[in-house]
Amino acid sequence: MTATPDDAPEVGVYQASLDGRRLSEALRALGPIEPALTDVLTHLNLRIYRRDHAAGDRTDYVVLDVHGVSIGVQRREGDLYLHADTSETNDAVIAFEINGGGEIDHPTH
């Protein structure tokens, strides 16, 4: 994991990241691990960006990269922000569901 100290002077300067390959290797060192879990963890990248208190962010911005897609999530003062970036895939549609309310197709282009 890489990180910049908590006293970093600017929002956006701080970023922590976790390379899934290192996590997968660490878990394998503890004993047998399900092959499907190993595959997902090997291709996972986790990034965390410092919250902007002045903007009303309640949490850091967390981005999970897996299957060629980046999913970002952050609790803000008045809402929950979710971001899906499929620009590195050839997906034409994202089928999205909130709280079991059924899927809604969202075109990506």
Side-chain angles (χ1 to χ4, degrees):
M1 183 189 289
T2 59
T4 303
D6 279 340
D7 61 354
E10 300 173 38
V11 172
V13 169
Y14 168 81
Q15 176 184 347
S17 62
L18 175 63
D19 183 339
R21 291 175 296 212
R22 294 184 66 204
L23 180 58
S24 181
E25 291 168 9
L27 287 175
R28 276 197 301 268
L30 295 174
I33 182 172
E34 176 68 34
L37 183 58
T38 300
D39 182 56
V40 169
L41 289 175
T42 299
H43 295 96
L44 170 101
N45 184 47
L46 177 66
R47 294 175 281 144
I48 302 169
Y49 299 90
R50 181 189 310 261
R51 73 177 113 190
D52 181 350
H53 293 280
D57 296 340
R58 292 174 34 210
T59 65
D60 293 335
Y61 182 57
V62 178
V63 180
L64 175 71
D65 303 309
V66 67
H67 299 310
V69 177
S70 294
I71 303 294
V73 63
Q74 181 177 46
R75 291 194 174 279
R76 302 186 302 196
E77 189 64 34
D79 60 15
L80 172 67
Y81 175 71
L82 295 173
H83 177 85
D85 184 339
T86 62
S87 60
E88 294 185 21
T89 73
N90 60 0
D91 298 319
V93 173
I94 298 174
F96 189 70
E97 183 171 359
I98 299 174
N99 297 333
E103 290 183 16
I104 297 173
D105 290 346
H106 189 282
T108 59
H109 306 288

